[in-house]
Amino acid sequence: MERAEFEQLAIEQMDAVYRMALQLARHPDEASDLVQETYLRAIRASSRFEERGGGIRSWLFTILHNVFYSRVDKKKRAPALVDEFFEADQTERPPDEAPPAWDLATLDWDHVDGRLKKAIDALPEDQREPLLLWGVGGMKYREIAEIMNVPIGTVMSRLHRARATLAKELEEFTREIGWHGATHAAGTQDDG
Amino acid sequence: MTDDRTFHPDPNTPPARLDPESMSRPELIRAAADGEAPMNRIENVDRARVEFERSLRAAVDRVSPDAKAPAHLRASIERMFREHSGAGVVTPASGAGTRSRSFWNRSVGLLGVAAVLALCAAVVVMSLRSGPAPFGGHQGAIRTASFIQSESDDCSELNDHFNAKFRARSREEAQRLAQSIFEKVPDALLRTDDALISMGYEFAGFGRCAVPGPGRSGHLIYHPDSNPAEALSLFIQEDVVPIGIDQSCCYRMPLVDTTDNRVLVWREGGFVYYLYSHNPQAIETARSIFHAPKHEAVIR
């Protein structure tokens, strides 16, 4: 790949990388710092991009992930992640979760935005990051596994737990506002 | 309902490697939601789950701020690319200086005169020679200086931008924040600023910044008690790549709209410092406080 082509592809992804950095760091200046360091490392390692193959966005997200966690106090993330990593393997099957506990046909997602955002912000970091990579970064499960350097089964179980937390939060919300469609589906789609 | 800002497959992503035949039911549902398995592989009873996955994904995307990279960050990264592309790379102007120092050290009696002559000569040589230009050339220097000027001017009043940026509001907090940004405290933050205080300046804050170029950076600002437009800023950036300026010299940088070179830059102790104010007297005082080299040159 020509240098100019690499530069163009990388710069095209800057908004996506910044957006993800902002989600991780939760502060604009820290996000700028993260993005700057991510691109500096990307430039220095550009030859490795071609060797590795794959999309440039997921490659930049991988660097961003590493930069971010190299700055986070290791105590914050080590225990759960290390255990999980060794317990999970590539053949781990994801949990077969129950279907959502409300009638999807009647749920108006636009009305749950505020509550959903709060619930996402409150997720543990090891669940929030894969959820954001999936929802905001547009990454697929296997790409998230590569970015976070964990088995795909681990990604699935973390996203499962994140979804379960969000579903519970939204279910409570629909109950609070008297959403009559809520729980309707639980009885009719229970096949999990 | 679906927000498709990010849901189109990344054009640079290789084709899916997943085989629907070998997937478990939950994997198939997730792959279908990712667009990596066809919906006709999904049993009717599971389609609601796929829809739920997609709706949740769209909602997660929608509730997350759609932030764009700020202009100064973009400029900084584009400059990084230029600096690493070869054409814009500048190398330090150092070799001759080392030999000169060892020569002059032999004659202690002539040290003062010799040092002055050597430094003057170095400045003249640097201004005349055709080697790599500081900041990769005139435009690069202007871009950086313009950033320094506009960022300082934008922070000259206690507005929302100021409040969001300057999280350290005392010198002690500034040192702690600098430690967390740079993993050490730059010497400039340890020096006494009494001379500025006696001129009517007050320590206003220190915060992270995104000075163009690689290396983490911070912004220290003093506000005058009279004219807010005369705020004084010191930008501190890690000195991680050669920017083509000599460590023994303080440089005045070019600006687009004026011939008055109010942005000064020098290197010291692993950092690059940029000093700026509309008030020339404040600049001179700050130069002394922050130990900028006395000898100076102008970047053309």
Side-chain angles (χ1 to χ4, degrees), chain B residues 153-185:
Chain B
D153 290 348
D154 288 349
C155 299
S156 60
E157 291 184 12
L158 299 174
N159 50 25
D160 288 345
H161 178 56
F162 182 95
N163 289 329
K165 177 172 176 177
F166 294 96
R167 285 190 286 161
R169 300 297 176 88
S170 70
R171 286 173 59 87
E172 292 72 27
E173 287 175 1
Q175 289 167 14
R176 279 198 294 275
L177 180 57
Q179 176 72 40
S180 80
I181 296 173
F182 303 121
E183 292 161 10
K184 67 175 178 177
V185 181

PDB file of all heavy atoms in Angstrom, chain B residues 153-185:
ATOM      1  N   ASP B 153      -5.859  32.906  22.683  1.00  0.00           N
ATOM      2  CA  ASP B 153      -6.893  33.945  22.637  1.00  0.00           C
ATOM      3  C   ASP B 153      -8.251  33.390  23.052  1.00  0.00           C
ATOM      4  O   ASP B 153      -9.021  34.046  23.753  1.00  0.00           O
ATOM      5  CB  ASP B 153      -6.980  34.551  21.223  1.00  0.00           C
ATOM      6  CG  ASP B 153      -5.741  35.406  20.896  1.00  0.00           C
ATOM      7  OD1 ASP B 153      -4.973  35.695  21.837  1.00  0.00           O
ATOM      8  OD2 ASP B 153      -5.550  35.747  19.714  1.00  0.00           O
ATOM      9  N   ASP B 154      -8.541  32.154  22.618  1.00  0.00           N
ATOM     10  CA  ASP B 154      -9.836  31.546  22.962  1.00  0.00           C
ATOM     11  C   ASP B 154      -9.969  31.295  24.463  1.00  0.00           C
ATOM     12  O   ASP B 154     -11.078  31.116  24.961  1.00  0.00           O
ATOM     13  CB  ASP B 154     -10.020  30.207  22.232  1.00  0.00           C
ATOM     14  CG  ASP B 154     -10.265  30.406  20.744  1.00  0.00           C
ATOM     15  OD1 ASP B 154     -10.500  31.560  20.336  1.00  0.00           O
ATOM     16  OD2 ASP B 154     -10.207  29.411  19.991  1.00  0.00           O
ATOM     17  N   CYS B 155      -8.830  31.203  25.120  1.00  0.00           N
ATOM     18  CA  CYS B 155      -8.855  30.872  26.556  1.00  0.00           C
ATOM     19  C   CYS B 155      -8.578  32.092  27.416  1.00  0.00           C
ATOM     20  O   CYS B 155      -8.269  31.957  28.602  1.00  0.00           O
ATOM     21  CB  CYS B 155      -7.823  29.782  26.859  1.00  0.00           C
ATOM     22  SG  CYS B 155      -8.128  28.248  25.991  1.00  0.00           S
ATOM     23  N   SER B 156      -8.675  33.267  26.824  1.00  0.00           N
ATOM     24  CA  SER B 156      -8.302  34.462  27.582  1.00  0.00           C
ATOM     25  C   SER B 156      -9.421  34.918  28.519  1.00  0.00           C
ATOM     26  O   SER B 156      -9.210  35.814  29.325  1.00  0.00           O
ATOM     27  CB  SER B 156      -7.911  35.593  26.624  1.00  0.00           C
ATOM     28  OG  SER B 156      -9.006  35.898  25.800  1.00  0.00           O
ATOM     29  N   GLU B 157     -10.579  34.305  28.391  1.00  0.00           N
ATOM     30  CA  GLU B 157     -11.680  34.671  29.293  1.00  0.00           C
ATOM     31  C   GLU B 157     -12.231  33.422  29.966  1.00  0.00           C
ATOM     32  O   GLU B 157     -12.104  32.315  29.440  1.00  0.00           O
ATOM     33  CB  GLU B 157     -12.782  35.386  28.504  1.00  0.00           C
ATOM     34  CG  GLU B 157     -12.339  36.750  28.030  1.00  0.00           C
ATOM     35  CD  GLU B 157     -13.455  37.513  27.340  1.00  0.00           C
ATOM     36  OE1 GLU B 157     -14.611  37.076  27.437  1.00  0.00           O
ATOM     37  OE2 GLU B 157     -13.143  38.524  26.698  1.00  0.00           O
ATOM     38  N   LEU B 158     -12.884  33.628  31.084  1.00  0.00           N
ATOM     39  CA  LEU B 158     -13.422  32.493  31.842  1.00  0.00           C
ATOM     40  C   LEU B 158     -14.765  32.073  31.245  1.00  0.00           C
ATOM     41  O   LEU B 158     -15.823  32.324  31.805  1.00  0.00           O
ATOM     42  CB  LEU B 158     -13.580  32.875  33.317  1.00  0.00           C
ATOM     43  CG  LEU B 158     -12.288  33.262  34.043  1.00  0.00           C
ATOM     44  CD1 LEU B 158     -12.590  33.769  35.446  1.00  0.00           C
ATOM     45  CD2 LEU B 158     -11.343  32.063  34.113  1.00  0.00           C
ATOM     46  N   ASN B 159     -14.701  31.438  30.097  1.00  0.00           N
ATOM     47  CA  ASN B 159     -15.935  30.993  29.441  1.00  0.00           C
ATOM     48  C   ASN B 159     -16.060  29.461  29.551  1.00  0.00           C
ATOM     49  O   ASN B 159     -15.283  28.806  30.243  1.00  0.00           O
ATOM     50  CB  ASN B 159     -15.927  31.441  27.977  1.00  0.00           C
ATOM     51  CG  ASN B 159     -14.624  31.049  27.289  1.00  0.00           C
ATOM     52  OD1 ASN B 159     -13.965  30.095  27.710  1.00  0.00           O
ATOM     53  ND2 ASN B 159     -14.256  31.770  26.250  1.00  0.00           N
ATOM     54  N   ASP B 160     -17.031  28.895  28.839  1.00  0.00           N
ATOM     55  CA  ASP B 160     -17.257  27.440  28.931  1.00  0.00           C
ATOM     56  C   ASP B 160     -16.035  26.658  28.449  1.00  0.00           C
ATOM     57  O   ASP B 160     -15.686  25.628  29.016  1.00  0.00           O
ATOM     58  CB  ASP B 160     -18.484  27.042  28.097  1.00  0.00           C
ATOM     59  CG  ASP B 160     -19.767  27.512  28.746  1.00  0.00           C
ATOM     60  OD1 ASP B 160     -19.713  27.881  29.939  1.00  0.00           O
ATOM     61  OD2 ASP B 160     -20.808  27.524  28.072  1.00  0.00           O
ATOM     62  N   HIS B 161     -15.446  27.155  27.371  1.00  0.00           N
ATOM     63  CA  HIS B 161     -14.272  26.480  26.828  1.00  0.00           C
ATOM     64  C   HIS B 161     -13.158  26.447  27.879  1.00  0.00           C
ATOM     65  O   HIS B 161     -12.519  25.420  28.101  1.00  0.00           O
ATOM     66  CB  HIS B 161     -13.799  27.198  25.563  1.00  0.00           C
ATOM     67  CG  HIS B 161     -12.557  26.606  24.950  1.00  0.00           C
ATOM     68  ND1 HIS B 161     -12.469  25.294  24.578  1.00  0.00           N
ATOM     69  CD2 HIS B 161     -11.340  27.154  24.673  1.00  0.00           C
ATOM     70  CE1 HIS B 161     -11.262  25.049  24.084  1.00  0.00           C
ATOM     71  NE2 HIS B 161     -10.560  26.168  24.151  1.00  0.00           N
ATOM     72  N   PHE B 162     -12.985  27.583  28.523  1.00  0.00           N
ATOM     73  CA  PHE B 162     -11.955  27.666  29.565  1.00  0.00           C
ATOM     74  C   PHE B 162     -12.247  26.666  30.683  1.00  0.00           C
ATOM     75  O   PHE B 162     -11.384  25.900  31.116  1.00  0.00           O
ATOM     76  CB  PHE B 162     -11.898  29.093  30.123  1.00  0.00           C
ATOM     77  CG  PHE B 162     -10.831  29.285  31.166  1.00  0.00           C
ATOM     78  CD1 PHE B 162      -9.586  29.764  30.820  1.00  0.00           C
ATOM     79  CD2 PHE B 162     -11.063  28.947  32.493  1.00  0.00           C
ATOM     80  CE1 PHE B 162      -8.585  29.918  31.775  1.00  0.00           C
ATOM     81  CE2 PHE B 162     -10.080  29.096  33.446  1.00  0.00           C
ATOM     82  CZ  PHE B 162      -8.833  29.587  33.083  1.00  0.00           C
ATOM     83  N   ASN B 163     -13.498  26.688  31.137  1.00  0.00           N
ATOM     84  CA  ASN B 163     -13.850  25.818  32.269  1.00  0.00           C
ATOM     85  C   ASN B 163     -13.695  24.339  31.939  1.00  0.00           C
ATOM     86  O   ASN B 163     -13.319  23.537  32.782  1.00  0.00           O
ATOM     87  CB  ASN B 163     -15.288  26.101  32.716  1.00  0.00           C
ATOM     88  CG  ASN B 163     -15.397  27.451  33.391  1.00  0.00           C
ATOM     89  OD1 ASN B 163     -14.451  27.908  34.028  1.00  0.00           O
ATOM     90  ND2 ASN B 163     -16.534  28.110  33.235  1.00  0.00           N
ATOM     91  N   ALA B 164     -13.996  23.991  30.685  1.00  0.00           N
ATOM     92  CA  ALA B 164     -13.880  22.580  30.296  1.00  0.00           C
ATOM     93  C   ALA B 164     -12.411  22.172  30.180  1.00  0.00           C
ATOM     94  O   ALA B 164     -12.054  21.032  30.468  1.00  0.00           O
ATOM     95  CB  ALA B 164     -14.594  22.351  28.969  1.00  0.00           C
ATOM     96  N   LYS B 165     -11.592  23.104  29.765  1.00  0.00           N
ATOM     97  CA  LYS B 165     -10.204  22.744  29.456  1.00  0.00           C
ATOM     98  C   LYS B 165      -9.283  22.781  30.676  1.00  0.00           C
ATOM     99  O   LYS B 165      -8.483  21.867  30.871  1.00  0.00           O
ATOM    100  CB  LYS B 165      -9.671  23.696  28.382  1.00  0.00           C
ATOM    101  CG  LYS B 165      -8.211  23.460  28.043  1.00  0.00           C
ATOM    102  CD  LYS B 165      -7.783  24.300  26.849  1.00  0.00           C
ATOM    103  CE  LYS B 165      -6.300  24.122  26.576  1.00  0.00           C
ATOM    104  NZ  LYS B 165      -5.864  24.855  25.385  1.00  0.00           N
ATOM    105  N   PHE B 166      -9.400  23.830  31.466  1.00  0.00           N
ATOM    106  CA  PHE B 166      -8.413  24.030  32.542  1.00  0.00           C
ATOM    107  C   PHE B 166      -8.928  23.423  33.840  1.00  0.00           C
ATOM    108  O   PHE B 166      -9.596  24.091  34.629  1.00  0.00           O
ATOM    109  CB  PHE B 166      -8.092  25.514  32.689  1.00  0.00           C
ATOM    110  CG  PHE B 166      -7.391  26.061  31.490  1.00  0.00           C
ATOM    111  CD1 PHE B 166      -8.105  26.701  30.496  1.00  0.00           C
ATOM    112  CD2 PHE B 166      -6.025  25.893  31.333  1.00  0.00           C
ATOM    113  CE1 PHE B 166      -7.469  27.181  29.366  1.00  0.00           C
ATOM    114  CE2 PHE B 166      -5.383  26.373  30.200  1.00  0.00           C
ATOM    115  CZ  PHE B 166      -6.107  27.012  29.210  1.00  0.00           C
ATOM    116  N   ARG B 167      -8.567  22.175  34.039  1.00  0.00           N
ATOM    117  CA  ARG B 167      -9.070  21.494  35.221  1.00  0.00           C
ATOM    118  C   ARG B 167      -8.204  21.778  36.444  1.00  0.00           C
ATOM    119  O   ARG B 167      -8.640  21.625  37.561  1.00  0.00           O
ATOM    120  CB  ARG B 167      -9.168  20.000  34.945  1.00  0.00           C
ATOM    121  CG  ARG B 167     -10.373  19.703  34.062  1.00  0.00           C
ATOM    122  CD  ARG B 167     -10.633  18.241  33.978  1.00  0.00           C
ATOM    123  NE  ARG B 167      -9.660  17.575  33.139  1.00  0.00           N
ATOM    124  CZ  ARG B 167      -9.426  16.278  33.163  1.00  0.00           C
ATOM    125  NH1 ARG B 167     -10.080  15.514  33.987  1.00  0.00           N
ATOM    126  NH2 ARG B 167      -8.545  15.738  32.338  1.00  0.00           N
ATOM    127  N   ALA B 168      -6.971  22.182  36.220  1.00  0.00           N
ATOM    128  CA  ALA B 168      -6.103  22.543  37.348  1.00  0.00           C
ATOM    129  C   ALA B 168      -6.170  24.052  37.517  1.00  0.00           C
ATOM    130  O   ALA B 168      -5.894  24.801  36.585  1.00  0.00           O
ATOM    131  CB  ALA B 168      -4.680  22.095  37.075  1.00  0.00           C
ATOM    132  N   ARG B 169      -6.536  24.488  38.719  1.00  0.00           N
ATOM    133  CA  ARG B 169      -6.694  25.928  38.939  1.00  0.00           C
ATOM    134  C   ARG B 169      -5.710  26.484  39.959  1.00  0.00           C
ATOM    135  O   ARG B 169      -5.854  27.616  40.404  1.00  0.00           O
ATOM    136  CB  ARG B 169      -8.129  26.232  39.394  1.00  0.00           C
ATOM    137  CG  ARG B 169      -9.200  25.825  38.384  1.00  0.00           C
ATOM    138  CD  ARG B 169      -9.055  26.606  37.097  1.00  0.00           C
ATOM    139  NE  ARG B 169     -10.016  26.165  36.090  1.00  0.00           N
ATOM    140  CZ  ARG B 169     -11.246  26.651  35.976  1.00  0.00           C
ATOM    141  NH1 ARG B 169     -11.644  27.587  36.784  1.00  0.00           N
ATOM    142  NH2 ARG B 169     -12.056  26.190  35.050  1.00  0.00           N
ATOM    143  N   SER B 170      -4.783  25.683  40.371  1.00  0.00           N
ATOM    144  CA  SER B 170      -3.718  26.184  41.252  1.00  0.00           C
ATOM    145  C   SER B 170      -2.412  25.568  40.765  1.00  0.00           C
ATOM    146  O   SER B 170      -2.415  24.591  40.004  1.00  0.00           O
ATOM    147  CB  SER B 170      -3.985  25.769  42.702  1.00  0.00           C
ATOM    148  OG  SER B 170      -3.804  24.376  42.845  1.00  0.00           O
ATOM    149  N   ARG B 171      -1.323  26.111  41.217  1.00  0.00           N
ATOM    150  CA  ARG B 171      -0.029  25.571  40.771  1.00  0.00           C
ATOM    151  C   ARG B 171       0.163  24.143  41.248  1.00  0.00           C
ATOM    152  O   ARG B 171       0.730  23.317  40.538  1.00  0.00           O
ATOM    153  CB  ARG B 171       1.096  26.481  41.280  1.00  0.00           C
ATOM    154  CG  ARG B 171       1.175  27.803  40.491  1.00  0.00           C
ATOM    155  CD  ARG B 171       2.176  28.751  41.125  1.00  0.00           C
ATOM    156  NE  ARG B 171       3.509  28.175  41.182  1.00  0.00           N
ATOM    157  CZ  ARG B 171       4.415  28.241  40.211  1.00  0.00           C
ATOM    158  NH1 ARG B 171       4.114  28.874  39.086  1.00  0.00           N
ATOM    159  NH2 ARG B 171       5.603  27.705  40.349  1.00  0.00           N
ATOM    160  N   GLU B 172      -0.339  23.847  42.435  1.00  0.00           N
ATOM    161  CA  GLU B 172      -0.201  22.480  42.958  1.00  0.00           C
ATOM    162  C   GLU B 172      -0.995  21.506  42.084  1.00  0.00           C
ATOM    163  O   GLU B 172      -0.530  20.428  41.721  1.00  0.00           O
ATOM    164  CB  GLU B 172      -0.686  22.398  44.413  1.00  0.00           C
ATOM    165  CG  GLU B 172       0.188  23.146  45.409  1.00  0.00           C
ATOM    166  CD  GLU B 172       0.044  24.670  45.287  1.00  0.00           C
ATOM    167  OE1 GLU B 172      -1.022  25.161  44.848  1.00  0.00           O
ATOM    168  OE2 GLU B 172       1.030  25.380  45.595  1.00  0.00           O
ATOM    169  N   GLU B 173      -2.225  21.908  41.752  1.00  0.00           N
ATOM    170  CA  GLU B 173      -3.043  21.050  40.885  1.00  0.00           C
ATOM    171  C   GLU B 173      -2.400  20.904  39.511  1.00  0.00           C
ATOM    172  O   GLU B 173      -2.452  19.844  38.891  1.00  0.00           O
ATOM    173  CB  GLU B 173      -4.452  21.644  40.733  1.00  0.00           C
ATOM    174  CG  GLU B 173      -5.321  21.503  41.956  1.00  0.00           C
ATOM    175  CD  GLU B 173      -6.669  22.200  41.806  1.00  0.00           C
ATOM    176  OE1 GLU B 173      -6.930  22.788  40.728  1.00  0.00           O
ATOM    177  OE2 GLU B 173      -7.444  22.171  42.751  1.00  0.00           O
ATOM    178  N   ALA B 174      -1.798  21.993  39.050  1.00  0.00           N
ATOM    179  CA  ALA B 174      -1.144  21.956  37.737  1.00  0.00           C
ATOM    180  C   ALA B 174       0.000  20.942  37.732  1.00  0.00           C
ATOM    181  O   ALA B 174       0.178  20.179  36.781  1.00  0.00           O
ATOM    182  CB  ALA B 174      -0.625  23.346  37.374  1.00  0.00           C
ATOM    183  N   GLN B 175       0.756  20.934  38.818  1.00  0.00           N
ATOM    184  CA  GLN B 175       1.876  19.977  38.890  1.00  0.00           C
ATOM    185  C   GLN B 175       1.362  18.543  38.926  1.00  0.00           C
ATOM    186  O   GLN B 175       1.922  17.648  38.289  1.00  0.00           O
ATOM    187  CB  GLN B 175       2.735  20.285  40.122  1.00  0.00           C
ATOM    188  CG  GLN B 175       3.542  21.571  39.959  1.00  0.00           C
ATOM    189  CD  GLN B 175       4.149  22.056  41.261  1.00  0.00           C
ATOM    190  OE1 GLN B 175       4.203  21.334  42.246  1.00  0.00           O
ATOM    191  NE2 GLN B 175       4.590  23.310  41.275  1.00  0.00           N
ATOM    192  N   ARG B 176       0.269  18.331  39.657  1.00  0.00           N
ATOM    193  CA  ARG B 176      -0.295  16.969  39.714  1.00  0.00           C
ATOM    194  C   ARG B 176      -0.824  16.541  38.343  1.00  0.00           C
ATOM    195  O   ARG B 176      -0.613  15.419  37.900  1.00  0.00           O
ATOM    196  CB  ARG B 176      -1.420  16.904  40.752  1.00  0.00           C
ATOM    197  CG  ARG B 176      -0.913  16.746  42.183  1.00  0.00           C
ATOM    198  CD  ARG B 176      -2.025  16.253  43.096  1.00  0.00           C
ATOM    199  NE  ARG B 176      -3.098  17.226  43.241  1.00  0.00           N
ATOM    200  CZ  ARG B 176      -3.081  18.232  44.121  1.00  0.00           C
ATOM    201  NH1 ARG B 176      -2.055  18.383  44.929  1.00  0.00           N
ATOM    202  NH2 ARG B 176      -4.094  19.068  44.198  1.00  0.00           N
ATOM    203  N   LEU B 177      -1.521  17.477  37.678  1.00  0.00           N
ATOM    204  CA  LEU B 177      -2.065  17.133  36.357  1.00  0.00           C
ATOM    205  C   LEU B 177      -0.935  16.902  35.354  1.00  0.00           C
ATOM    206  O   LEU B 177      -0.984  15.972  34.541  1.00  0.00           O
ATOM    207  CB  LEU B 177      -3.001  18.254  35.869  1.00  0.00           C
ATOM    208  CG  LEU B 177      -3.655  18.045  34.510  1.00  0.00           C
ATOM    209  CD1 LEU B 177      -4.451  16.737  34.469  1.00  0.00           C
ATOM    210  CD2 LEU B 177      -4.589  19.211  34.170  1.00  0.00           C
ATOM    211  N   ALA B 178       0.098  17.749  35.436  1.00  0.00           N
ATOM    212  CA  ALA B 178       1.243  17.573  34.525  1.00  0.00           C
ATOM    213  C   ALA B 178       1.896  16.216  34.747  1.00  0.00           C
ATOM    214  O   ALA B 178       2.285  15.527  33.801  1.00  0.00           O
ATOM    215  CB  ALA B 178       2.252  18.693  34.737  1.00  0.00           C
ATOM    216  N   GLN B 179       1.988  15.826  36.000  1.00  0.00           N
ATOM    217  CA  GLN B 179       2.566  14.512  36.315  1.00  0.00           C
ATOM    218  C   GLN B 179       1.749  13.404  35.650  1.00  0.00           C
ATOM    219  O   GLN B 179       2.299  12.440  35.105  1.00  0.00           O
ATOM    220  CB  GLN B 179       2.598  14.329  37.840  1.00  0.00           C
ATOM    221  CG  GLN B 179       3.079  12.974  38.326  1.00  0.00           C
ATOM    222  CD  GLN B 179       4.584  12.788  38.139  1.00  0.00           C
ATOM    223  OE1 GLN B 179       5.355  13.703  38.359  1.00  0.00           O
ATOM    224  NE2 GLN B 179       4.978  11.608  37.693  1.00  0.00           N
ATOM    225  N   SER B 180       0.422  13.563  35.673  1.00  0.00           N
ATOM    226  CA  SER B 180      -0.410  12.504  35.072  1.00  0.00           C
ATOM    227  C   SER B 180      -0.363  12.555  33.540  1.00  0.00           C
ATOM    228  O   SER B 180      -0.491  11.533  32.888  1.00  0.00           O
ATOM    229  CB  SER B 180      -1.851  12.599  35.577  1.00  0.00           C
ATOM    230  OG  SER B 180      -2.564  13.587  34.887  1.00  0.00           O
ATOM    231  N   ILE B 181      -0.155  13.727  32.987  1.00  0.00           N
ATOM    232  CA  ILE B 181      -0.083  13.813  31.518  1.00  0.00           C
ATOM    233  C   ILE B 181       1.280  13.329  31.021  1.00  0.00           C
ATOM    234  O   ILE B 181       1.367  12.504  30.110  1.00  0.00           O
ATOM    235  CB  ILE B 181      -0.304  15.269  31.035  1.00  0.00           C
ATOM    236  CG1 ILE B 181      -1.712  15.753  31.371  1.00  0.00           C
ATOM    237  CG2 ILE B 181      -0.062  15.384  29.523  1.00  0.00           C
ATOM    238  CD1 ILE B 181      -1.938  17.238  31.078  1.00  0.00           C
ATOM    239  N   PHE B 182       2.340  13.872  31.634  1.00  0.00           N
ATOM    240  CA  PHE B 182       3.684  13.644  31.088  1.00  0.00           C
ATOM    241  C   PHE B 182       4.483  12.578  31.842  1.00  0.00           C
ATOM    242  O   PHE B 182       5.587  12.241  31.453  1.00  0.00           O
ATOM    243  CB  PHE B 182       4.494  14.949  31.129  1.00  0.00           C
ATOM    244  CG  PHE B 182       3.854  16.101  30.401  1.00  0.00           C
ATOM    245  CD1 PHE B 182       3.536  17.274  31.069  1.00  0.00           C
ATOM    246  CD2 PHE B 182       3.587  16.023  29.043  1.00  0.00           C
ATOM    247  CE1 PHE B 182       2.959  18.349  30.399  1.00  0.00           C
ATOM    248  CE2 PHE B 182       3.014  17.095  28.365  1.00  0.00           C
ATOM    249  CZ  PHE B 182       2.696  18.256  29.047  1.00  0.00           C
ATOM    250  N   GLU B 183       3.946  12.155  32.961  1.00  0.00           N
ATOM    251  CA  GLU B 183       4.655  11.230  33.849  1.00  0.00           C
ATOM    252  C   GLU B 183       5.883  11.875  34.492  1.00  0.00           C
ATOM    253  O   GLU B 183       6.740  11.197  35.038  1.00  0.00           O
ATOM    254  CB  GLU B 183       5.010   9.923  33.127  1.00  0.00           C
ATOM    255  CG  GLU B 183       3.743   9.132  32.803  1.00  0.00           C
ATOM    256  CD  GLU B 183       3.948   8.098  31.727  1.00  0.00           C
ATOM    257  OE1 GLU B 183       5.105   7.853  31.361  1.00  0.00           O
ATOM    258  OE2 GLU B 183       2.941   7.553  31.257  1.00  0.00           O
ATOM    259  N   LYS B 184       6.009  13.168  34.365  1.00  0.00           N
ATOM    260  CA  LYS B 184       6.963  13.962  35.141  1.00  0.00           C
ATOM    261  C   LYS B 184       6.519  15.422  35.054  1.00  0.00           C
ATOM    262  O   LYS B 184       5.732  15.778  34.173  1.00  0.00           O
ATOM    263  CB  LYS B 184       8.392  13.796  34.624  1.00  0.00           C
ATOM    264  CG  LYS B 184       8.649  14.355  33.241  1.00  0.00           C
ATOM    265  CD  LYS B 184      10.134  14.221  32.918  1.00  0.00           C
ATOM    266  CE  LYS B 184      10.419  14.733  31.525  1.00  0.00           C
ATOM    267  NZ  LYS B 184      11.832  14.704  31.170  1.00  0.00           N
ATOM    268  N   VAL B 185       7.004  16.214  35.978  1.00  0.00           N
ATOM    269  CA  VAL B 185       6.584  17.619  35.985  1.00  0.00           C
ATOM    270  C   VAL B 185       7.613  18.455  35.242  1.00  0.00           C
ATOM    271  O   VAL B 185       8.793  18.465  35.620  1.00  0.00           O
ATOM    272  CB  VAL B 185       6.432  18.135  37.438  1.00  0.00           C
ATOM    273  CG1 VAL B 185       5.968  19.581  37.440  1.00  0.00           C
ATOM    274  CG2 VAL B 185       5.454  17.262  38.208  1.00  0.00           C
TER     275      VAL B 185
END
